[in-house]
Every structure is written in structure tokens, then in C-alpha cells.
Amino acid sequence: MSILTRHPRAKGTVMVLGGDGFCGWPTALHLSNLGYEVVIVDNLSRRKIDVELGAESLTPIATMEARLAAWKEVSGKTIRFVDLTLGEDFHEFVELLSEVQPEAIVHFAEQRAAPYSMKGARQKRYTVSNNLCATHDVLCAMVEAGVDSHLVHLGTMGVYGYGTAGLTIPEGYLPITVQTANGPQDLEVLYPANPGSVYHMTKTQDQLFFFYYNKNNAIRITDLHQGIVWGTQTPETARHEALINRFDYDGDYGTVLNRFLMQAAIGYPLTVHGSGGQTRAFIHIRDTVRCIEIAIANPPKKGDRVMILNQMTQTHRLIDLAEKISEMTGVPYEHVRNPRVEAAENELVVSNEQFLALGLNPTKLEDGLMEEVQTIAKRFAHRCDKSKIPCVSTWRRDEPQPVETTEPPLAATA
Amino acid sequence: MSILTRHPRAKGTVMVLGGDGFCGWPTALHLSNLGYEVVIVDNLSRRKIDVELGAESLTPIATMEARLAAWKEVSGKTIRFVDLTLGEDFHEFVELLSEVQPEAIVHFAEQRAAPYSMKGARQKRYTVSNNLCATHDVLCAMVEAGVDSHLVHLGTMGVYGYGTAGLTIPEGYLPITVQTANGPQDLEVLYPANPGSVYHMTKTQDQLFFFYYNKNNAIRITDLHQGIVWGTQTPETARHEALINRFDYDGDYGTVLNRFLMQAAIGYPLTVHGSGGQTRAFIHIRDTVRCIEIAIANPPKKGDRVMILNQMTQTHRLIDLAEKISEMTGVPYEHVRNPRVEAAENELVVSNEQFLALGLNPTKLEDGLMEEVQTIAKRFAHRCDKSKIPCVSTWRRDEPQPVETTEPPLAATA
Ligand SMILES: NC(=O)c1ccc[n+]([C@@H]2O[C@H](COP(=O)([O-])OP(=O)(O)OC[C@H]3O[C@@H](n4cnc5c(N)ncnc54)[C@H](O)[C@@H]3O)[C@@H](O)[C@H]2O)c1
Ligand SMILES: NC(=O)c1ccc[n+]([C@@H]2O[C@H](COP(=O)([O-])OP(=O)(O)OC[C@H]3O[C@@H](n4cnc5c(N)ncnc54)[C@H](O)[C@@H]3O)[C@@H](O)[C@H]2O)c1
């Protein structure tokens, strides 16, 4: 329990953009439980993409109406839901902002699957226009409505690229030295971006929106560079069947650790892409919602630069994860071709001191893994459509067998 | 005359995206004259924005049909024109690419006025979605059509930001030193972006499109970071009345030097924004078309990183320009409030060795200034609508009198 939740008091309103999604839904409940007035904005596009892909959450998620009614029933609290498309329904959004005057706006509302963003021209173009126009609309509407809300955005560790050669990934800003006519000069710059997919690319472009609107309009922004989220339930989503969170396992939206867990539950050999030498950063969904709570409670001051925090708690090599889960469950793993254009091996050392200093007490892999396999993956295994497991999106149109490349450290492009 | 034009030979096809615009039209004629097959793609949005603003080119520009007929008449050459919107008419564009298989694609097709991009929510949102979706569509369509064209994009010196404290702005990539666990390491990174308007912001985001598509799909790209273009005519546009190039002088689209020239021609006190201590990079339109010619003739090799060239020939402090023109013409200058959020003073030292090494022989200010005043500004002075001269767009919604800020060097954001 955090220092913040120990002393409940009257709280302001928080808008949760993308509040029907995997991270957004538990966040909305967590904030409502803490006493915030919560307004969810979502266009249900994620559910529609499930329809497009013929895929479904492993867990049986309820409609938004049923979700909100169940939450009212168990908590007595009302969450408001507004169905609108950020990036399109600009004027409705400006009006909503003016009316609600939120203390904070948490922005999850983007197309977030890297494989989906590489599927074909339609998905690439959708990811670019949806994510960039949504993020820009949020900023532009804040200026237009004249609200002084704190914008909390979900970015990704993937903006940094992977391959850091002894460099600890700092929280957003990199200290560098450049040579000038007046001798060497020390500066701090936005960490050079090195995205690994069209999806990640849009997140690196989001950073420039934030940089500019913060500089020109003094908008207070926290950008959370999140690791890969695993787990399903939070204390709030576990309170009622109709509150259950989504669990994606398909080749496009399923993230690596949840895919392994589900595969273990149904006895499907764990699919390790390539050598599995890639190291990635992770965070449990319970910690995601806590981090958002902490970010909202610690806004930057007017005039501060964009605050960037690394929202992750552990790093793991994918092959180590597969071995660990395989050992625990007796299900073997298998190397399959890697559809991505990425380095076969990388090290990854990430600084995340700010969240720890602010009171985050992480859920470690060891603590949550078996619970997840038992209560979610095994329980809903009968709902799994095995044909949706393989990742069929490829990173290069003309190359059914993408080669693994070695990425240079940072965005060095020589 | 360049080495390239001395030996005319059969040349391939070049697509000129935005070929009805101020830079695109003279480029199309220049390339056609050199023997390239030229296909212009443009949606005439620039002319429509003139309608929206109630503004007009000082020079009487002909319709596209009349332009192409006149060119046919004086040169015997046919230029093809396709009216489509990049960012929207994706499939038409893919088909066009497949059919034409251009050797090079020169991409001018963006909303390019900083003041227009700051006018209000509509213009900010249009600039973002038009520029980002157009640039992404070009790249995505190249992958989709499977063409191996060389993409030549017009970027801006403005992506670097101004305020470099002894640092010569390199051609795109900055050598830096970072501290790692293994000691200091030298790297070269994309120059940290520091845009000064929503328009400039989209250009910094374009760079990330290029970085990613070059890395993932090995697309050959040259990004020309262009200074402020001045002058009007090239040898080709001067060959027929109906070929005349546009000359913008209004508060949104008029760029600083052309505005001074026109103001001098009509005896309107030159409008110096703020102290005029800002230093900017310039290039004459005749050199713009030569640079494009040189860039096309020197494509990067497959697998090379994005080639970035600084397309500018001189830097000037705005107040020095005003003084020089005032002295030459006897028209006084006046300090008016600066609508922009920018540093009041900056130094600017820019590296442009690559174009000089490739044979560019720049038109200096001294050589072109009076010609421009006499043959364009004075000649068409009767067409000037003085009410369109002031820049009424402001950078901050709530601040009718923007304060001048001091920008840190680079994108340092501390
Ligand atoms: N899940 C992860 O592992 C992970 C890791 C790092 C970062 N993130 C980031 O966190 C955020 C949330 O991720 P998630 O896993 O919850 O994704 P999700 O797809 O489950 O949720 C996103 C929600 O936003 C909505 N949405 C999308 N575009 C919208 C628009 N234009 N207007 C209105 N609503 C829109 C969708 O309908 C969906 O409900 C994303 O920005 C993602 O990039 C997620
Ligand atoms: N003019 C300058 O001083 C200057 C300086 C630096 C860089 N640049 C860059 O050079 C390029 C050309 O500038 P310009 O001065 O010729 O601008 P311009 O506005 O005169 O020309 C741009 C042309 O592109 C077309 N266009 C815009 N969006 C389009 C779309 N989505 N689909 C199809 N056509 C579209 C317009 O109709 C117009 O004819 C721009 O990218 C600009 O940023 C210009």
C-alpha cells in the first residue's frame, strides 16, 4: 500500500483515454477506487480490431456497459464513459475537456501492437494516423480548451532501441559531450530514438509532440516509458467476473510473457523468436496501475521540461524466461523464426530509480508467475484458438524470412 | 552551368510531389529541361489555402493546364500532372509508382508555413495530419509498390533549432561522446531536434519516418535541410509569362527576405520582428533547383544511412538584411512585435560543404537582390494587398504579445 492510498481524501477528476484497453481499464478502476472521479474516453477500436483479426481475449471481457454496472455494484462508484475517436472528434473532445477540467489526463489511446503495425500498408497507415493524430489532438485540445491538466502518456521502452553497449538507459535524457569552437560542452538531450517497428516509430514521434507543446505552451507532461506488461488482474478487476481484464495471446497483440504463460497452460511448445537472446524490460499490470497513481500524485511544475520515467521493474532475456516457465510447467520451448528486423542479442540496463524512490514496490516474476498460469491461463485455456498463436506479420514485405540484424548502439547510424 | 548539364543524355523519370508549389514548379521545369521525364503530383492545396486566406501570389501565376501548355510550347517537352492527395489517395499513388517506376521522387508536398501552422487548432491539426500522413504514405507506397526509387525530401534548417553556442551545425548527424560502463564512447546521432513551430515539428517527425524506413526497408533517402528560399525566377520560369513562379508576401506564407523586397518595392516600412537579432540561413531559388539536380545525380547506395545535406548558401542576421535593403532602396525599417516564441538573438554557423564539393556555385545576396526588387517586386507592386502584410498568427493562444525566450543550445531541455 502506498503512502498515497493510506489517507484517502477528496480527489479531482482524471480522464482515462483508452480506458477500455488492457492497461486503461484496470487503471480506471484503480483510480476510481482511490477516490478520483474517472471519465473514460475510448472508441472501442481495440475490440473492433479483434473482430478484424478473428481473435479474442483469452479472458471473457464484458461490454463497457456491463463493466461499469458491475463496478457500480461492487464499489458504489460511477465511472463515466464517452465513446469518441481522438484524432477525429476534436470538437467533442475540446468540449468534454472544458466541461470536466481534469486534474490529469492519462493517455493510453493508441494502436499498440508492433506486429499489427507491420502487417501491411493498411495497418501501417492506420497506426501512424491513429497514434499521431490522437496524441496531437490531445495536446491541441488542451491548448484550445485552456485547461491546465497534467498529461500522463504511456510511451514505451522501445523508443530507446536495444543495444546499449555498457550504457545504462537513463530516464529519457542522455548526458552528452559535444565539441564546439569554445571547447567541449556538456549537454542533456532527449535520448536518441531507435524504433523497431512502425508502432514504436509513432512513440518516438509522440516525444517530439511533447517536447514542442511543453516548450511552446508550457503543458505539464509526464511520459512513462513502459516495459512489456504481463499479468492480467489487479485487486479491482478481480472483484467481479464482469470486471475481468483482457488477456491477449494472439500473434499480433499477445506480448511475449503472457504468450508463454498461456502456451504453458495449454501444453503448446513456447514460441521463442530466433535465438531468444533479446533482453526486454517488464512490469506487472498491478505495478502499471500503481505507477500511474504515483505519476498523477507527482506532477511536474509549470515550466518544467517533460518528465520522463522508465516504468519497468525487471529485465529478462527471452530465452531465460522460456527456460524458467518450461521448468516450472514441464512444457518445452521451441525456436521459431523471428519475424522482426532486430538484433539477435542485446544487453539492457535500465534506470528506474524515480519510481522506486516514489514508493513503488514491484511484483517480481517469481511472485506472480504461477498465480497467472493457474488462475488465468489454465482456467480459460478452453477459450484458446491455437490457430491464432503464430505471429504471421513480417517486418519486410519481400522477405518471408527476415534476417536478424545487429543494431548499432543508440541511434548511431553510421 | 554544372558538369551535369554539359553532357545531356537519356535520363529516367522523376516524380515531383508538390510540383505546383514555389520550389516544386521551378524544379519540375529545371529537371524537364535537363532531359528527365517529369511527373508532377499535387492536389493544388496551396492555391486553395490562398483562397482560404484571401491572399494571392504577388506574381500572376497561371493554372496548371496553362503552365504545362506554355512549357510544351517553349521547350517541346511534356510534363505529366496527376492531381491526388498524398496521405489520402494511397492506392492511386501506389499504382502510379508501379506504372512510372521513377528513378527519383522529389517530395515537396507539405504545408510549409510556420505562421499558418500556428494560426489555430484547425491549421495545427491540418499541418500535422497533412505532412505526417503524406510523408508516411510516400514511404509506405514505395515499399508496397516495391520500387527502388531514390527519395529526395525537402526538410528545413529549422529542425536544428537555433542557438548553437560555438557549434557548427553539421550535415544532419552530430558526433557526441557518452559515458558508459566501459568508459567514454564516441557516437554519431541524428542531430537533436528543436523545432520552433508546429510546421517545423512535423519536419523533425519526418526525420524519424526516414530513419525507420531506411533502417527497416533499406529505402535510399536524401533529406535536404533547406534554408529560407528567396528570389522568384529561374531561367526556365522566365521563358514565358505563363511559367512565372509564385511569390508569397502575406503574413503567413511570405518568407522574410521576399517580404522585405516587396515592402521595399511598394515603400512599406520593412517589418522586422522583434530586435531582428535572429540569424537565419538562406538560399536562392536558382540554387534550390540546382541542389535538387545534384542530389538526384548523387544518390546514396543501397544500405547507406539517410544522407542529410544542408541546402543553404549564406546566413544573415535579419536586422542586417533590413539595413542593407533599406540602404539600397531608401525605404526605412520598423521593429514590430515578434509573434513567435523564439530566441531574440542567436548565432548560426552551418556546414554546407557537400553541395559545394558537388559543384554548387551559389547566387549571393549582392547579385540577386536588386534584380528581384526591379523585375518582380516593383513590376507587380500594383497587385499587392497591403492588408495581408502583417503576420497575425501568434505562437501562444493566450498571449497576444508573445515574450521572446532564450532557447538553450541544441535540444537541451534542462
Ligand atoms: N501492453 C503493453 O505491454 C504495453 C507496453 C508498453 C507500453 N504500452 C502502452 O500503453 C498504452 C495502452 O496499452 P494497452 O496494452 O492497454 O493497449 P490496448 O489496445 O489494450 O488499449 C488501448 C485502448 O485505446 C483505445 N483507442 C485506440 N485508439 C483510440 C483513439 N484514436 N480514440 C479513442 N480510443 C482509442 C482502444 O480502443 C483501446 O481500448 C498504449 O499506448 C501502449 O503503447 C503498452
Ligand atoms: N519556401 C521555403 O523557403 C522553404 C524553406 C525550407 C524548406 N522548404 C520546404 O520545401 C517544400 C516546398 O516548399 P514550397 O515553398 O514550395 O511550398 P508550397 O506550399 O509553395 O508547395 C507545396 C506544394 O505541395 C502541395 N501539397 C501539399 N500537401 C499536399 C498533399 N498532401 N498531397 C499533394 N500535394 C500537396 C501544395 O499544393 C503545393 O503546391 C516544403 O516541404 C517546405 O517545407 C521550403
Side-chain angles (χ1 to χ4, degrees):
Chain A
M1 271 285 145
S2 81
I3 5 172
L4 297 160
T5 52
R6 257 185 247 130
H7 310 287
R9 48 174 173 77
K11 289 202 165 76
T13 303
V14 177
M15 260 193 192
V16 181
L17 314 179
D20 186 45
F22 169 56
C23 299
W25 175 242
T27 300
L29 296 188
H30 184 67
L31 296 174
S32 174
N33 190 52
L34 290 174
Y36 288 101
E37 286 297 320
V38 173
V39 179
I40 288 178
V41 172
D42 203 297
N43 66 353
L44 308 182
S45 53
R46 179 65 192 85
R47 294 180 190 244
K48 293 172 187 167
I49 291 176
D50 267 350
V51 175
E52 170 193 335
L53 297 174
E56 241 185 343
S57 167
L58 188 71
T59 49
I61 52 174
T63 62
M64 184 49 101
E65 289 63 34
R67 283 181 153 185
L68 298 181
W71 181 243
K72 175 87 188 173
E73 189 188 320
V74 300
S75 74
K77 293 177 204 270
T78 303
I79 292 179
R80 176 170 170 197
F81 168 55
V82 180
D83 181 348
L84 65 75
T85 298
L86 295 159
E88 287 180 16
D89 305 324
F90 181 73
H91 296 286
E92 283 99 311
F93 187 61
V94 171
E95 270 171 39
L96 187 66
L97 274 184
S98 307
E99 179 204 330
V100 167
Q101 299 274 338
E103 168 185 335
I105 302 171
V106 190
H107 173 27
F108 295 100
E110 297 186 86
Q111 191 301 99
R112 70 109 178 119
Y116 183 81
S117 78
M118 301 306 289
K119 235 183 164 53
R122 182 148 61 99
Q123 291 82 2
K124 290 178 192 174
R125 297 178 68 233
Y126 168 73
T127 302
V128 165
S129 71
N130 183 67
N131 293 5
L132 298 182
C133 293
T135 299
H136 182 251
D137 262 15
V138 173
L139 293 160
C140 189
M142 288 173 74
V143 173
E144 205 58 15
V147 295
D148 181 30
S149 313
H150 169 207
L151 178 63
V152 179
H153 172 256
L154 275 288
T156 157
M157 287 292 307
V159 298
Y160 298 121
Y162 300 101
T164 39
L167 191 75
T168 298
I169 291 189
E171 304 213 67
Y173 299 96
L174 182 70
I176 64 169
T177 307
V178 295
Q179 298 304 324
T180 76
N182 320 321
Q185 201 184 333
D186 293 333
L187 299 167
E188 225 179 33
V189 297
L190 205 54
Y191 194 97
N194 188 8
S197 72
V198 165
Y199 154 69
H200 290 100
M201 180 182 74
T202 63
K203 294 283 184 177
T204 68
Q205 292 167 308
D206 278 349
Q207 291 196 279
L208 295 170
F209 284 133
F210 300 139
F211 176 81
Y212 181 68
Y213 274 86
N214 170 263
K215 173 172 97 161
N216 193 64
N217 300 94
I219 295 190
R220 295 179 299 127
I221 302 171
T222 300
D223 198 8
L224 303 172
H225 289 187
Q226 188 169 242
I228 301 171
V229 184
W230 66 286
T232 311
Q233 299 279 60
T234 60
E236 291 83 14
T237 62
R239 286 172 71 179
H240 191 293
E241 275 291 282
L243 298 176
I244 199 165
N245 197 19
R246 66 158 51 241
F247 180 115
D248 298 310
Y249 66 93
D250 63 282
D252 282 311
Y253 278 87
T255 50
V256 56
L257 185 43
N258 277 3
R259 275 163 62 82
F260 284 169
L261 295 177
M262 187 276 310
Q263 291 166 347
I266 63 166
Y268 188 107
L270 314 182
T271 50
V272 176
H273 288 169
S275 67
Q278 313 91 315
T279 304
R280 294 290 178 267
F282 292 88
I283 183 168
H284 193 281
I285 185 72
R286 284 198 288 260
D287 294 332
T288 289
V289 304
R290 278 279 296 127
C291 285
I292 306 278
E293 171 195 348
I294 293 171
I296 292 173
N298 295 277
K301 286 191 297 296
K302 198 85 185 165
D304 284 357
R305 70 175 179 187
V306 176
M307 185 187 286
I308 301 178
L309 302 175
N310 291 334
Q311 184 162 312
M312 50 71 67
T313 59
Q314 292 185 300
T315 61
H316 302 285
R317 282 209 317 163
L318 303 191
I319 187 70
D320 298 340
L321 281 181
E323 273 170 5
K324 177 171 290 185
I325 296 169
S326 178
E327 206 168 281
M328 282 170 54
T329 60
V331 176
Y333 62 86
E334 223 173 71
H335 293 278
V336 301
R337 74 174 181 77
N338 188 353
R340 305 187 183 218
V341 176
E342 66 181 2
E345 306 260 338
N346 69 291
E347 49 166 316
L348 181 61
V349 186
V350 182
S351 159
N352 68 342
E353 285 129 38
Q354 299 196 66
F355 268 126
L356 298 177
L358 292 168
L360 181 69
N361 181 12
T363 301
K364 291 274 163 57
L365 195 61
E366 301 68 35
D367 311 328
L369 213 61
M370 277 319 286
E371 168 201 331
E372 195 65 25
V373 174
Q374 298 299 342
T375 65
I376 299 293
K378 275 214 179 3
R379 175 157 171 233
F380 296 108
H382 61 282
R383 289 176 45 91
C384 172
D385 175 354
K386 289 188 191 170
S387 75
K388 296 297 174 191
I389 294 179
C391 179
V392 293
S393 296
T394 56
W395 260 235
R396 284 192 186 140
R397 198 170 171 274
D398 46 342
E399 264 179 42
Q401 300 277 341
V403 274
E404 300 199 354
T405 63
T406 315
E407 284 182 34
L410 277 165
T413 43
Chain B
M1 272 281 145
S2 79
I3 5 171
L4 297 159
T5 53
R6 258 185 245 129
H7 309 288
R9 49 176 172 77
K11 289 202 164 77
T13 303
V14 177
M15 260 193 191
V16 181
L17 313 179
D20 187 44
F22 169 56
C23 299
W25 174 242
T27 300
L29 296 188
H30 184 67
L31 295 175
S32 175
N33 190 51
L34 290 174
Y36 288 100
E37 286 297 319
V38 174
V39 179
I40 288 177
V41 172
D42 203 297
N43 66 353
L44 308 181
S45 53
R46 179 66 193 84
R47 293 178 190 244
K48 292 172 188 166
I49 291 175
D50 266 351
V51 175
E52 170 193 334
L53 298 174
E56 241 184 343
S57 167
L58 188 72
T59 49
I61 52 173
T63 62
M64 184 48 100
E65 289 64 34
R67 282 180 154 186
L68 297 182
W71 181 243
K72 176 87 188 171
E73 188 188 319
V74 299
S75 75
K77 293 177 205 272
T78 304
I79 292 179
R80 177 171 169 197
F81 168 55
V82 180
D83 181 347
L84 65 75
T85 298
L86 295 159
E88 286 180 16
D89 305 323
F90 181 72
H91 295 287
E92 283 99 310
F93 186 61
V94 171
E95 270 171 38
L96 188 66
L97 274 184
S98 306
E99 179 203 330
V100 166
Q101 299 274 338
E103 170 185 333
I105 302 171
V106 191
H107 173 26
F108 294 101
E110 297 185 86
Q111 191 301 98
R112 70 108 179 121
Y116 183 80
S117 78
M118 301 306 289
K119 235 183 164 53
R122 183 148 60 100
Q123 291 82 1
K124 289 178 192 175
R125 298 178 69 233
Y126 168 72
T127 302
V128 164
S129 70
N130 184 67
N131 294 5
L132 298 182
C133 293
T135 299
H136 183 252
D137 262 14
V138 173
L139 292 160
C140 189
M142 289 173 73
V143 173
E144 205 57 14
V147 296
D148 181 30
S149 313
H150 169 208
L151 178 63
V152 178
H153 172 257
L154 275 288
T156 156
M157 287 293 307
V159 298
Y160 298 122
Y162 300 100
T164 39
L167 191 74
T168 298
I169 291 188
E171 304 213 64
Y173 299 96
L174 182 69
I176 64 169
T177 307
V178 295
Q179 298 303 325
T180 76
N182 320 320
Q185 200 183 333
D186 293 333
L187 298 166
E188 226 180 34
V189 297
L190 206 54
Y191 194 97
N194 188 8
S197 72
V198 165
Y199 155 69
H200 290 99
M201 180 182 73
T202 63
K203 295 283 185 178
T204 68
Q205 293 167 307
D206 278 349
Q207 292 196 280
L208 295 170
F209 284 134
F210 300 139
F211 176 80
Y212 181 68
Y213 275 85
N214 169 263
K215 173 172 96 160
N216 193 62
N217 300 94
I219 295 190
R220 295 178 299 127
I221 302 172
T222 299
D223 198 8
L224 302 172
H225 289 186
Q226 187 169 243
I228 300 172
V229 183
W230 67 285
T232 310
Q233 299 279 60
T234 60
E236 291 83 14
T237 63
R239 285 172 72 179
H240 192 293
E241 275 290 283
L243 298 176
I244 200 166
N245 197 18
R246 66 159 50 242
F247 180 115
D248 298 310
Y249 66 94
D250 63 282
D252 282 309
Y253 278 87
T255 50
V256 57
L257 186 42
N258 276 4
R259 275 164 62 82
F260 284 169
L261 295 177
M262 187 275 311
Q263 291 166 347
I266 63 168
Y268 188 108
L270 314 182
T271 49
V272 176
H273 287 168
S275 67
Q278 312 92 315
T279 303
R280 293 291 178 267
F282 292 89
I283 183 168
H284 193 280
I285 185 71
R286 284 198 287 261
D287 293 332
T288 289
V289 304
R290 277 281 295 128
C291 284
I292 306 278
E293 171 195 348
I294 292 171
I296 292 173
N298 294 279
K301 285 191 298 295
K302 198 85 186 165
D304 283 358
R305 70 175 178 187
V306 177
M307 185 187 286
I308 300 179
L309 301 175
N310 291 334
Q311 184 162 312
M312 50 71 66
T313 59
Q314 291 186 301
T315 62
H316 301 285
R317 282 210 316 165
L318 302 191
I319 187 72
D320 297 339
L321 281 181
E323 271 170 7
K324 177 172 290 185
I325 296 168
S326 177
E327 205 169 280
M328 282 170 54
T329 60
V331 176
Y333 61 86
E334 223 173 71
H335 293 277
V336 300
R337 74 174 181 77
N338 189 352
R340 305 188 184 218
V341 176
E342 65 180 2
E345 307 260 338
N346 69 292
E347 49 167 316
L348 181 61
V349 185
V350 181
S351 159
N352 68 342
E353 285 129 38
Q354 300 195 66
F355 268 126
L356 298 177
L358 291 168
L360 181 69
N361 181 11
T363 301
K364 292 275 163 57
L365 195 63
E366 301 66 36
D367 310 328
L369 214 61
M370 276 319 286
E371 169 202 328
E372 195 64 27
V373 174
Q374 298 298 342
T375 64
I376 299 291
K378 277 213 170 26
R379 176 158 170 230
F380 296 108
H382 62 281
R383 288 176 45 92
C384 173
D385 174 354
K386 288 188 193 171
S387 75
K388 297 297 174 189
I389 294 179
C391 179
V392 293
S393 295
T394 55
W395 261 235
R396 284 193 187 140
R397 197 168 172 276
D398 47 344
E399 263 180 41
Q401 301 278 339
V403 274
E404 301 201 354
T405 64
T406 314
E407 284 181 35
L410 277 166
T413 44

